[in-house]
Every structure is written in structure tokens, then in C-alpha cells.
Amino acid sequence: MKKILLLFIVLIFNNIQAQEVKTLTYFQNDTLKLDLDLYMPKKKAGEKIPLIMFAFGGGFSGGERTSEKDFGKFMAQNGYAVASISYSLYMKGKDFGCKGTLTEKIKAIQIGVSDMWQATAFLVENADKYNLDTSKIFISGISAGAEIGFHASFWDYKLMNLYKSNLPENFTYKGFIGGSGAIQDINLITKEKAIPMLLAHGSNDDTVPYAAGSHRSCPTNASGWLILFGSYSVYNQMRDLHKDIELITFCGGGHEFSGYLFHDGQQYVLDFVNDVLKGKKFESHLIQHSKKGKGSGKYSFCE
């Protein structure tokens, strides 16, 4: 009995040690203050820690960096640091749908991406202080956060960054984990710039397109019409380039699966980052049928 009690106390102590959270300000000026929560694992002295950057969802108008605490804690318990960032909610009080303005939508993404780059640069600059491995920085996000992740990975940093150039020359993320995200231009993903990816998406998502389609399913004559290339388009692009890609498709599912990888699918994320760091090659498409599905649609693999 004493041994069991002692083991229980040790497990609790180790669990607390693995869930240390530091709230840090990564950007501040006269009008804006942006913080991040850094979930830190317990590591041996001198051992550099891989890092996962994370951006929450919310249509660039809402959401909180604290929304995925369980994900941060889970990854910290398994040896990874997680930085969950706040970013500018440019669309707050504005229409991010079909009646919105295309240029405003793009600007919202650009601001969010610039904030992500700024947060990444802050942690690169302070890597020694927090014992982070700057060669092993992953990026991740849900919905709008996944759109930030896609564009932060593939946009031209010098051209699109709204702040000072503060990331190291030729910096690239080690890999990308995206829940129901999309990219504006599929041709940005080239053989030279491709990074390993783990993606999850519902095949009937009418908010962020699963393949090529319009954001929020807007008609082409809408003022807010924006073409996006979702996870299935990215999967096919990566396959054509013979690059590492894993896609989880929820056949018939909608946007409700945007957070899957960071909730029920956390083990997929852990396996993915472990495989990337071990140099493993992979290409897979896991098909799951949604109980809330509205039909298989045009995808034969959903039949």
C-alpha cells in the first residue's frame, strides 16, 4: 500500500513538473500587446526542447489562446514545448463571410501570419533562455489558426511580413499540423518549400473548403468571395511532389472536426512530430465516416 501511495505521489509530482506554463509578452507597442502561453516539459539540463507553435480558431474575430490547454499539457508531458499565441483579431466586428470585403479577409490573414512570425522570432531570440531547439519548431492551428499556419509556412516572409524582418535567414518550420485549414494558392507548396504535414478535415465542410472551393461557400459574385485550397487539395499536391503527408478525412463531416487533432486526436500529433524528428518517410490517407455526415458527396473513397 505504501509503495502504491508513493508511486501515486511521484506520478502527480512528475505531472505537475511537465505542465509548467509561462505567459510571455512577445509583442508590444503603444496600442497592442500580444502574449503567448509557453507549456514547458521537464527536461534534463542541457537537452534542447522541440517546440510547437499553435494558433486558435475563431474566424479572425474571436477565440482565446487558452482554449487548447489540454493539448499544451499533453505535448509537454511527452517532451515538447507548446507556444499558444494570441494574435490580432482584425475581423472583430466585421463581416468575414460572403458580404464582407475580399481585401479585408486577406489582410486579416496577413496580420495573423505576421503575428505568428513575430511570436516565432521572439522564441528563437530567447531560445537559450527557455532551452528551445530552433531547428525543431513546428507550427499548428485550428481553422483560422490553420490558415495562419499554412501561410506562415509558405508565404514569402520578406514580402508579406508586416513587421521588421526578425526571423533568421532561410528559416523554415519543421512541420505543420492543421485542423480544417486552407491556403490561398496551392502553387506556393513546391518541392523546395514543402514541409511534412498532418491534416484533418471534414469532406463536407462548408466553412473552409475541404478541396478547392470558396471560403464560407460564397457565390462567385459575392463581395467576400475568396478561393481557397483545403486539406484534400494540399494532400494531392504533396503526393505529387512525393513529400511527407498524412490526411485524416471525416467523410460527410463538416467544420466541427476542425479541432479533432488537438482534442481526441492528440496521439496522432505526437506520433507525427516523433516520426518527423526521426526522419521517417510517410504518406497516408485515413478515412473515417462521420456520424453527423450529410452524405459522401463526390468522393468515391467515402462510399
Side-chain angles (χ1 to χ4, degrees):
M1 184 67 182
K2 289 182 178 180
K3 289 183 178 179
I4 294 174
L5 181 60
L6 179 60
L7 177 61
F8 181 70
I9 293 172
V10 168
L11 288 173
I12 291 177
F13 177 76
N14 287 340
N15 192 48
I16 292 171
Q17 289 296 309
Q19 296 181 18
E20 182 183 7
V21 183
K22 302 176 185 293
T23 298
L24 309 170
T25 299
Y26 72 84
F27 179 80
Q28 186 169 8
N29 59 22
D30 292 340
T31 58
L32 181 64
K33 179 177 179 287
L34 295 173
D35 294 334
L36 62 84
D37 290 333
L38 183 63
Y39 296 80
M40 295 292 295
K42 183 68 175 178
K43 282 283 190 176
K44 296 177 181 179
E47 188 176 0
K48 295 294 185 180
I49 305 169
L51 170 67
I52 301 172
M53 306 296 299
F54 174 80
F56 58 83
F60 298 95
S61 62
E64 296 286 344
R65 72 174 187 275
T66 57
S67 60
E68 306 305 328
K69 289 181 179 179
D70 289 343
F71 173 69
K73 292 175 181 178
F74 173 80
M75 296 306 297
Q77 288 169 13
N78 286 279
Y80 290 86
V82 174
S84 182
I85 74 164
S86 294
Y87 56 90
S88 304
L89 300 178
Y90 181 73
M91 296 306 297
K92 191 171 185 178
K94 302 178 183 179
D95 191 335
F96 197 52
C98 300
K99 295 181 180 180
T101 305
L102 175 59
T103 53
E104 290 286 88
K105 284 187 172 185
I106 296 173
K107 186 175 181 180
I109 297 172
Q110 185 180 13
I111 292 172
V113 170
S114 296
D115 289 343
M116 174 59 79
W117 282 333
Q118 194 83 344
T120 304
F122 170 83
L123 289 173
V124 169
E125 291 167 1
N126 290 279
D128 289 342
K129 182 176 181 180
Y130 301 109
N131 213 25
L132 302 173
D133 190 334
T134 59
S135 68
K136 299 174 182 177
I137 300 179
F138 294 81
I139 187 170
S140 65
I142 294 174
S143 189
E147 290 168 13
I148 287 175
F150 265 126
H151 293 92
S153 298
F154 296 105
W155 262 349
D156 184 323
Y157 173 74
K158 292 182 179 179
L159 178 65
M160 300 302 291
N161 187 22
L162 294 173
Y163 304 115
K164 64 179 182 178
S165 296
N166 46 18
L167 276 172
E169 190 74 20
N170 300 319
F171 173 85
T172 58
Y173 292 101
K174 192 69 176 178
F176 170 57
I177 304 115
S180 302
I183 192 168
Q184 289 182 39
D185 184 358
I186 196 70
N187 294 313
L188 291 173
I189 303 174
T190 64
K191 189 173 184 178
E192 294 74 25
K193 295 186 69 176
I195 58 176
M197 296 189 212
L198 170 63
L199 309 175
H201 214 133
S203 66
N204 285 20
D205 192 335
D206 56 8
T207 300
V208 178
Y210 170 68
S214 64
H215 178 246
R216 300 283 179 93
S217 302
C218 298
T220 55
N221 63 348
S223 59
W225 183 81
L226 171 64
I227 187 71
L228 291 172
F229 296 86
S231 301
Y232 186 56
S233 293
V234 173
Y235 169 75
N236 288 322
Q237 177 81 347
M238 293 286 282
R239 284 190 65 197
D240 290 344
L241 296 173
H242 304 289
K243 295 296 183 179
D244 299 328
I245 178 71
E246 295 182 11
L247 171 63
I248 302 172
T249 293
F250 293 93
C251 285
H255 201 61
E256 68 272 10
F257 290 100
S258 60
Y260 173 79
L261 289 172
F262 307 92
H263 302 154
D264 297 335
Q266 293 175 358
Q267 188 63 46
Y268 285 111
V269 178
L270 180 60
D271 291 343
F272 168 76
V273 293
N274 284 339
D275 286 348
V276 171
L277 295 184
K278 290 175 183 176
K280 290 186 177 181
K281 306 299 291 181
F282 50 84
E283 184 270 301
S284 67
H285 186 186
L286 176 62
I287 297 165
Q288 299 193 21
H289 292 272
S290 167
K291 294 179 180 179
K292 299 181 180 179
K294 297 175 286 185
S296 60
K298 60 183 178 180
Y299 303 106
S300 59
F301 51 78
C302 283
E303 296 295 340

